[in-house]
Amino acid sequence: MKTRIERALRQVRWALAALLCAAAPAWALDLNELMGLLARQQQGEANFTEQRYVRGFDGPLAASGTLSFTAPDRLVRRTLSPRPETMAVDGNNLTLSRSGRSRSMTLDSMPELQGLVEAMRATLAGNTQVLQRYFTSTVGGSASEWTLDLAPVDARLASQVAMLRLSGKAGEVLGVEMEFRGGDRSVMTISPKR
């Protein structure tokens, strides 16, 4: 009789453990799961609005435009307001265009900018290895609504950027917040085109 009770208790414990493991993704998400969700979408386009809070200015500086991404490493930001300008990153090449003039450079010649670009590209591509090369990460929330906090590991980037927070739902990034050393910050809202 005791053996049957022990066996039943053991089965109940295993069933409970299996239930808890199956239910865990509903309330907890880890970095690998989040990157898996993000990696499913190989390209996308979105509109953005951005508010930049700069010390010494009354109120935020507003910008808006479009973003496009094609995995693994093409990212284009077209600002339409307050003035047209484009930043296009393809692999290691960065091209800035404004007022009919363009300037090209390599990302590895500007390590601080490279880290910021990789925060977006690696997240959008679901590339955990590249993301961890530049940042330590903390994931919060669930697959239905998540946050990804990134703290720079590179000293040059960390001397300029205190923290980045990306937020989203399922495999879509819907917001990017950056806090810079010295108190400036940027809040971007992203609306995917469907």
Side-chain angles (χ1 to χ4, degrees):
M1 176 109 138
K2 187 176 179 181
T3 310
R4 242 186 315 184
I5 292 173
E6 288 174 345
R7 196 173 324 146
L9 283 173
R10 210 171 317 139
Q11 288 174 335
V12 168
R13 278 189 225 125
W14 280 109
L16 183 57
L19 181 62
L20 288 173
C21 288
W27 68 77
L29 185 68
D30 70 20
L31 183 61
N32 288 328
E33 290 168 328
L34 176 58
M35 292 293 109
L37 287 172
L38 292 162
R40 291 180 189 164
Q41 195 162 337
Q42 293 293 300
Q43 63 183 33
E45 291 188 27
N47 294 315
F48 76 87
T49 57
E50 182 179 32
Q51 304 293 315
R52 293 182 190 166
Y53 300 87
V54 179
R55 284 179 19 169
F57 282 88
D58 292 333
L61 304 173
S64 63
T66 63
L67 299 169
S68 64
F69 175 74
T70 304
D73 59 7
R74 179 154 174 75
L75 178 65
V76 178
R77 173 188 162 129
R78 286 187 179 84
T79 302
L80 303 173
S81 173
R83 65 176 175 247
E85 59 186 28
T86 301
M87 179 186 81
V89 182
D90 196 354
N92 190 40
N93 299 312
L94 168 71
T95 303
L96 300 171
S97 303
R98 183 183 333 167
S99 303
R101 295 164 52 182
S102 292
R103 179 177 170 207
S104 295
M105 63 194 81
T106 60
L107 277 179
D108 55 13
S109 68
M110 301 180 69
E112 298 85 345
L113 181 58
Q114 184 175 20
L116 292 175
V117 167
E118 293 302 1
M120 269 312 273
R121 288 197 310 192
T123 300
L124 290 169
N127 190 330
T128 307
Q129 292 78 19
V130 170
L131 192 64
Q132 290 180 325
R133 186 180 315 148
Y134 295 94
F135 301 94
T136 58
S137 58
T138 305
V139 176
S142 65
S144 62
E145 193 166 339
W146 51 264
T147 59
L148 174 60
D149 290 340
L150 301 174
V153 295
D154 178 78
R156 289 174 292 199
L157 181 57
S159 71
Q160 294 181 15
V161 177
M163 188 272 301
L164 284 93
R165 170 173 275 185
L166 290 89
S167 57
K169 294 182 178 184
E172 294 182 322
V173 177
L174 302 177
V176 180
E177 295 179 44
M178 289 188 278
E179 290 184 23
F180 297 93
R181 302 287 179 198
D184 295 351
R185 67 186 183 100
S186 167
V187 179
M188 180 186 288
T189 302
I190 300 170
S191 302
K193 294 181 180 180
R194 301 195 196 291

